[in-house]
């Protein structure tokens, strides 16, 4: 599955990109900018998950379900099991979201288009409702997350940033390996013609289910990382429909052209939001909406299409 | 040695909200036969093909393949046991290149389980793919996006994709429909010679009687959901009922 993957241009560029972001964030940039990079990388994982689904024409309006579930899994593991180790935290976040995705996948794999999108939203709102009412999980106030550790030592902000970079690189490698595989190529094939895929002997529902679980794992991982980075989880900032909306927003803004696009888009989004809030605290959503409109009108392929026009990697789509 | 019976249907019937689309279809097909299915539009030809390949579930009756009951199986299960098909309107992946289409088909036919996680562009598979593209005379178009191809090229690709699974029986639904007069005999020559070489049993739906006369061993003529004639082509095309209801 991973044979020769490190020699592939997409992965080499991806690793270089993450290195630059992490180095900038830890050594050069001020803390507020560094935070934007860190949150952008973390959130980019969830966007990568959405992008993988989107390549089959499946748009989830409720991916905050897995993002929030991963984040709350980290909070609960800390509260009930005392887990603060960052490796365990990310494994728990991914596993919890993956398991939930596996269960719900049996329902969602039968739906397409708006029904898939709205059913995803419905499930995320069910979780939101449960979390907002569950006092043992902090209700609407949420729960705080203690600093992450690694092998018993506190990781610190820089250490966590390196760890996030490491997880992002692993995710890029996994996502690329999946998309270049026969199973991954079914992504586009299913979008083109489900009947033919069935007559080639493969279950479309099974292919979608696998893709859905991968997507859930990535979103759960993103939630786990964000929980560790923010030190706080609550239903409004992790599971509410507007969080799902932001993820869809970033996916459109980033474009589907490359697995690196979600991370570029997510970082870009963090900066737009910061500056929009700074310049127009009462109307920052209008600036964000305007940005999305500009991208849809002038860069329908997303930000990545701009890179494709000006950089030498434009031929590769993985 | 007697030639083995590969496909048999008994009292096969399909109705849609009370309207009968196929009725009392009893056929027996021997291994290696090439059969032409003819009939006017709405005669039940495609419904018959759809029932055999699992796209439609019969209302009643049974389908036996190699002695096993396969009535109502799913399309992918039909493919797994060796019952494959092509379509009246080519079912290919329009946004991909010709070679990518065939590579996906070959990959699914030859790999299973965790092998499906290996990169699709395996060197051996790629060579094998080029060989098939050459055999079906679409090698020059291998890097073209399918939506830019002519109907004839798409038909060939559609059939090639069905064939890579090494079917025991192949059902072709109007392989020359929408294809220019110049292209159709060329396509059928390529397809039939390739399928004869592999000993595949073929049933194809066709409106063009020149094609039927030239390539088939047997003709099944449909009218109002029933088979009105099942005979060698020369005999079938002279049959009174066939002349009246099919050839008009």
């Amino acid at each position: 599955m991973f044979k020769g993957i490190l020699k592939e241009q997409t992965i080499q560029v991806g690793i270089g990109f993450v290195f630059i972001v992490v180095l900038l964030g830890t050594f050069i940039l001020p803390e507020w900018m560094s935070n934007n990079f860190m949150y952008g990388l973390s959130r980019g994982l969830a966007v990568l998950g959405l992008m993988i689904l989107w390549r089959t024409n499946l748009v989830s309006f409720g991916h905050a379900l897995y993002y929030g579930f991963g984040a709350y899994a980290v909070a609960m593991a800390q509260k009930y099991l005392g887990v603060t180790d960052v490796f365990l935290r990310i494994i728990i976040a991914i596993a919890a979201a993956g398991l939930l995705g596996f269960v719900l996948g049996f329902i969602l794999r039968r739906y397409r288009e708006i029904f898939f999108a709205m059913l995803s939203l419905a499930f995320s709102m069910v979780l939101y409702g449960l979390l907002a009412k569950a006092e043992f999980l902090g209700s609407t106030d949420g729960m705080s997350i203690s600093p992450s550790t690694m092998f018993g030592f506190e990781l610190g902000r820089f250490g966590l940033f390196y760890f996030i970079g490491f997880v992002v690189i692993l995710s890029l490698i996994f996502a690329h390996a999946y998309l270049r595989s026969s199973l991954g190529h079914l992504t586009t094939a299913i979008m083109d013609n489900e009947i033919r895929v069935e007559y080639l002997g493969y279950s479309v529902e099974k292919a979608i289910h696998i893709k859905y679980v991968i997507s859930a794992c990535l979103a759960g991982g993103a939630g786990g990382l964000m929980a560790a980075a923010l030190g706080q989880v609550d239903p409004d900032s992790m599971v509410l429909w507007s969080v799902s909306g932001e993820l869809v927003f970033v996916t459109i803004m980033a474009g589907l052209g490359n697995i690196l696009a979600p991370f570029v888009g997510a970082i870009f989004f963090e900066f737009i939001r910061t500056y929009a809030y700074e310049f127009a605290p009462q109307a920052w959503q209008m600036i964000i909406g305007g940005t999305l409109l500009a991208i849809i009108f002038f860069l329908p392929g997303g930000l990545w299409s701009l890179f494709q026009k000006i950089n030498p990697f434009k031929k590769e789509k993985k | 040695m007697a030639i083995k019976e590969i496909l048999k249907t008994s009292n096969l019937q399909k109705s849609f909200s009370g309207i009968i689309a196929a009725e009392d279809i009893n056929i027996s097909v021997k291994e290696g036969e090439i059969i032409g299915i003819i009939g006017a539009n709405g005669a039940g030809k495609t419904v018959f093909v759809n029932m055999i390949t699992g796209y439609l579930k019969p209302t009643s009756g049974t389908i036996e393949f190699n002695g096993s009951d396969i009535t109502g199986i799913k399309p992918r299960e039909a493919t797994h046991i060796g019952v494959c098909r092509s379509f009246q309107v080519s079912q290919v992946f329009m946004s991909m290149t010709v070679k990518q289409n065939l590579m996906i088909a070959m990959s699914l036919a030859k790999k299973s389980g965790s092998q499906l996680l290996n990169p699709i562009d395996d060197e051996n598979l790629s060579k094998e793919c080029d060989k098939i593209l050459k055999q079906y005379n679409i090698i020059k178009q291998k890097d073209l996006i399918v939506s830019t191809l002519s109907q004839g090229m798409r038909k060939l690709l559609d059939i090639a994709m069905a064939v890579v699974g090494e079917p025991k029986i192949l059902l072709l639904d109007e392989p020359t429909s929408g294809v220019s007069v110049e292209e159709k005999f060329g396509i059928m020559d390529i397809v039939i010679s390739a399928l004869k070489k592999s000993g595949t049993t073929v049933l194809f739906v066709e409106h063009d009687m020149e094609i039927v006369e030239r390539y088939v061993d047997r003709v099944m003529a449909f009218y109002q959901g029933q088979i009105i004639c099942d005979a060698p082509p020369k005999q079938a095309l002279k049959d009174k009922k066939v002349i009246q209801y099919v050839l008009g």
Side-chain angles (χ1 to χ4, degrees), chain B residues 9 17 21 23 31 60 110 143 183 194 209 224 236 239 241:
Chain B
T9 66
S17 312
E23 194 179 13
E31 211 167 29
S60 63
K110 298 188 188 296
D143 294 321
E183 275 183 310
M209 294 308 136
Q224 290 188 342
D239 185 275
K241 279 186 187 168

Side-chain angles (χ1 to χ4, degrees), chain B residues 155-185:
Chain B
K155 286 271 177 185
L156 277 174
L157 178 61
D158 192 19
I159 295 167
M161 286 170 78
V163 168
V164 293
E166 293 171 5
K168 295 187 179 82
I169 186 164
L170 182 65
L171 293 101
L172 308 173
D173 195 356
E174 300 193 25
T176 63
S177 74
V179 176
S180 65
V181 181
E182 303 84 56
E183 275 183 310
K184 65 183 181 186
F185 283 106

Side-chain angles (χ1 to χ4, degrees), chain A residues 22-40:
Chain A
V22 172
L23 286 178
L24 281 173
T26 49
F27 289 112
I28 297 167
L29 299 173
E31 194 173 328
W32 71 269
M33 271 196 172
S34 168
N35 281 341
N36 278 348
F37 275 111
M38 186 156 66
Y39 301 153

Side-chain angles (χ1 to χ4, degrees), chain A residues 1 3 177-178 180-186 188-193 195-204 318, chain B residues 53-55 75-76 79-80 85 87 91-96 104-105 107-108 111 116-120 158 161-162:
Chain A
M1 180 184 183
K3 196 180 163 192
Y178 168 69
R180 72 175 186 166
S181 71
S182 305
L183 205 53
H185 272 78
L186 283 180
T188 321
I190 290 169
M191 186 168 78
D192 267 5
N193 197 328
I195 294 171
R196 174 45 95 184
V197 172
E198 284 282 337
Y199 273 107
L200 289 176
Y202 202 83
S203 161
V204 168
K318 275 279 143 62
Chain B
T53 56
Y55 192 74
R76 63 174 178 279
T79 304
H80 287 154
R85 72 173 294 182
F87 297 83
Q91 298 290 330
V92 286
F93 306 126
M94 290 297 217
S95 67
M96 295 182 176
I104 287 179
S107 197
L108 293 180
K111 294 177 182 177
L116 286 170
L117 288 170
N118 292 337
I120 197 168
D158 192 19
M161 286 170 78

Side-chain angles (χ1 to χ4, degrees), chain B:
Chain B
M1 200 176 80
I3 301 169
K4 201 174 134 192
E5 182 183 63
I6 192 166
L7 182 73
K8 185 183 168 189
T9 66
S10 310
N11 304 320
L12 207 57
Q13 184 178 325
K14 179 71 193 173
S15 57
F16 299 98
S17 312
I19 297 165
I20 293 169
E23 194 179 13
D24 285 335
I25 299 180
N26 297 291
I27 62 155
S28 170
V29 178
K30 294 198 167 56
E31 211 167 29
E33 268 191 305
I34 296 181
I35 294 173
I37 300 172
I38 61 171
N41 287 334
K45 308 179 298 291
T46 299
V47 169
F48 170 70
V49 169
N50 285 343
M51 285 194 287
I52 303 290
T53 56
Y55 192 74
L56 290 176
K57 201 174 174 181
T59 309
S60 63
T62 57
I63 304 166
E64 277 178 47
F65 174 71
N66 270 341
S68 312
D69 188 349
I70 61 160
T71 315
I73 55 167
K74 290 179 178 158
R76 63 174 178 279
E77 290 165 347
T79 304
H80 287 154
I81 60 169
V83 180
C84 296
R85 72 173 294 182
S86 76
F87 297 83
Q88 198 171 340
V89 177
S90 307
Q91 298 290 330
V92 286
F93 306 126
M94 290 297 217
S95 67
M96 295 182 176
T97 66
V98 170
K99 187 161 180 178
Q100 282 172 335
N101 267 266
L102 202 57
M103 285 291 276
I104 287 179
M106 292 179 72
S107 197
L108 293 180
K110 298 188 188 296
K111 294 177 182 177
S112 61
S114 61
Q115 282 178 313
L116 286 170
L117 288 170
N118 292 337
I120 197 168
D121 48 359
D122 172 82
E123 204 179 320
N124 293 331
L125 206 63
S126 175
K127 276 183 192 165
E128 214 180 311
C129 179
D130 284 345
K131 216 188 278 179
I132 294 170
L133 289 171
K134 213 177 222 173
Q135 190 181 11
Y136 281 82
N137 208 17
I138 39 177
I139 186 82
K140 281 182 193 159
Q141 291 79 16
K142 70 174 183 177
D143 294 321
L144 294 179
I145 299 291
V146 172
S147 59
T148 65
L149 296 181
S150 69
Q151 280 291 343
M153 294 288 172
R154 285 186 209 168
K155 286 271 177 185
L156 277 174
L157 178 61
D158 192 19
I159 295 167
M161 286 170 78
V163 168
V164 293
E166 293 171 5
K168 295 187 179 82
I169 186 164
L170 182 65
L171 293 101
L172 308 173
D173 195 356
E174 300 193 25
T176 63
S177 74
V179 176
S180 65
V181 181
E182 303 84 56
E183 275 183 310
K184 65 183 181 186
F185 283 106
I187 287 175
M188 288 308 286
D189 281 344
I190 292 167
V191 172
I192 297 295
S193 72
L195 294 172
K196 270 190 171 166
K197 222 180 272 176
S198 60
T200 311
T201 307
V202 184
L203 276 83
F204 70 87
V205 176
E206 187 55 66
H207 285 291
D208 188 322
M209 294 308 136
E210 278 183 82
I211 298 266
V212 171
E213 251 187 310
R214 188 159 157 179
Y215 296 103
V216 308
D217 303 321
R218 217 168 107 198
V219 171
M220 289 178 189
F222 277 68
Y223 176 69
Q224 290 188 342
Q226 289 182 317
I227 295 179
I228 53 168
C229 177
D230 182 350
K234 280 186 183 167
Q235 194 184 324
L237 297 179
K238 285 178 188 162
D239 185 275
K240 277 184 186 169
K241 279 186 187 168
V242 173
I243 291 170
Q244 185 181 354
Y245 297 121
V246 181
L247 305 177

